[in-house]
Amino acid sequence: ELALKVVREHEARREPEIVEFQAQEVLRAYGLPTPKTVLARSSEEAVAAAVEIGYPVVLKIASPNISHKSDVGGVKVNLRDAGEVLTNFREITARAMRMRPDAYIAGCLVQEMAPPGVKEVIIGFKRDEQFGPMLMFGLGGIYVEIMKDISFKLAPLSRQNAFEIVREIKSYMLLKGLRGEKPVNFAALEEIILIMSQMALDLPQVWEAEFNPVLINHERAMVADVRMTLH
Ligand code: ADP
Ligand code: MG
């Protein structure tokens, strides 16, 4: 219900997309694992949030009009102290205003930083006029762009389908772990895929959605970015 409310509010405002800082509520409503995240409207608020979350933190530009945050230098990871948070908050917001003068800038998200060694995967769906929502799974970063190593299944997915979709990519062995590395938490990953499948059924107004990346290691998974496109 809460998720539907958020989607309807965006529709009413004729916003074409729901970006990360606006989708936090939706993620929580679905019980998805997310990094601790606080919206800071000033550099002072950002420092207070970082202390609460614990260093190191990530800062991300928070604007309904900026969906590819890195394109405007809007993501800074591994900030270790108040000084770094203060300067990066100012730099990120100033650069965004310069590069996107028409964008409304709410501030920055202050986010828990994933531990070193996590792997990045992408979970998404896209509606097909004929067949309905098509779930997509792939490794993040260069793997999805260059290798096009992605697997697909039509929603709704069964548990068995979720099990299969993560094992059908060519780079599955990277998730299983190389050279004595522990395998990622596959159960947590499959759970997120099943929730994404459920979202596709619950939210017909969302034409396309992407968790990019989901950060995962042998212990836990977290949805570290999300974008939903309305139609
Ligand atoms: P964009 O809008 O550019 O896609 P993201 O939120 O996906 O922005 O962040 C860009 C990249 O920064 C991610 O692909 C990931 O590599 C890294 N990143 C984002 N959030 C975190 C986090 N909480 N912990 C560690 N790395 C992160
Ligand atoms: Mg992203």
Side-chain angles (χ1 to χ4, degrees):
E1 255 79 289
L2 177 58
L4 210 49
K5 184 177 144 257
V6 171
V7 171
R8 292 213 175 104
E9 283 167 4
H10 284 265
E11 273 193 316
R13 292 197 299 264
R14 298 184 181 282
E15 287 179 7
E17 283 188 324
I18 306 180
V19 303
E20 183 181 11
F21 88 96
Q22 302 168 308
Q24 292 283 327
E25 266 188 301
V26 176
L27 301 182
R28 279 194 291 270
Y30 275 94
L32 284 157
T34 51
K36 286 181 218 153
T37 305
V38 175
L39 174 63
R41 293 171 190 280
S42 67
S43 54
E44 293 78 20
E45 275 185 32
V47 172
V51 170
E52 191 189 310
I53 289 167
Y55 290 103
V57 296
V58 180
L59 276 187
K60 301 183 180 183
I61 191 71
S63 164
N65 315 112
I66 299 175
S67 61
H68 293 90
K69 300 177 289 290
S70 301
D71 289 357
V72 297
V75 179
K76 290 288 165 198
V77 301
N78 208 23
L79 306 180
R80 296 160 184 282
D81 56 41
E84 289 190 358
V85 170
L86 282 174
T87 41
N88 280 282
F89 183 99
R90 292 189 194 116
E91 279 172 20
I92 289 172
T93 51
R95 185 161 44 229
M97 285 179 208
R98 197 168 62 238
M99 291 178 74
R100 301 284 169 82
D102 298 330
Y104 164 72
I105 312 282
C108 284
L109 289 184
V110 185
Q111 192 166 80
E112 174 188 358
M113 170 94 190
V118 290
K119 287 171 181 162
E120 301 200 8
V121 300
I122 299 177
I123 301 169
F125 74 79
K126 199 179 195 139
R127 286 180 203 281
D128 181 282
E129 296 278 6
Q130 208 175 351
F131 300 108
M134 181 72 90
L135 263 285
M136 182 209 95
F137 173 78
L139 237 51
I142 57 159
Y143 294 97
V144 72
E145 278 152 38
I146 298 167
M147 317 277 290
K148 306 239 182 293
D149 188 11
I150 307 166
S151 55
F152 297 94
K153 289 204 188 285
L154 275 179
L157 270 70
S158 63
R159 282 203 175 267
Q160 177 63 24
N161 290 155
F163 180 92
E164 288 163 1
I165 198 172
V166 303
R167 285 161 181 80
E168 282 168 5
I169 57 168
K170 288 175 230 131
S171 30
Y172 165 62
M173 73 271 197
L174 293 182
L175 298 176
K176 244 180 81 184
L178 301 169
R179 288 176 261 103
E181 223 183 0
K182 287 183 184 154
V184 301
N185 185 339
F186 282 104
L189 192 53
E190 288 158 34
E191 194 57 39
I192 297 172
I193 291 168
L194 289 173
I195 293 174
M196 179 64 109
S197 166
Q198 187 60 47
M199 285 174 67
L201 302 186
D202 293 348
L203 307 171
Q205 305 91 332
V206 177
W207 187 250
E208 233 179 278
E210 199 176 65
F211 298 155
N212 180 11
V214 174
L215 301 174
I216 187 160
N217 64 14
H218 61 285
E219 286 173 342
R220 62 188 279 232
M222 55 195 201
V223 178
D225 186 22
V226 51
R227 175 157 44 243
M228 294 187 228
T229 309
L230 305 179
H231 63 127

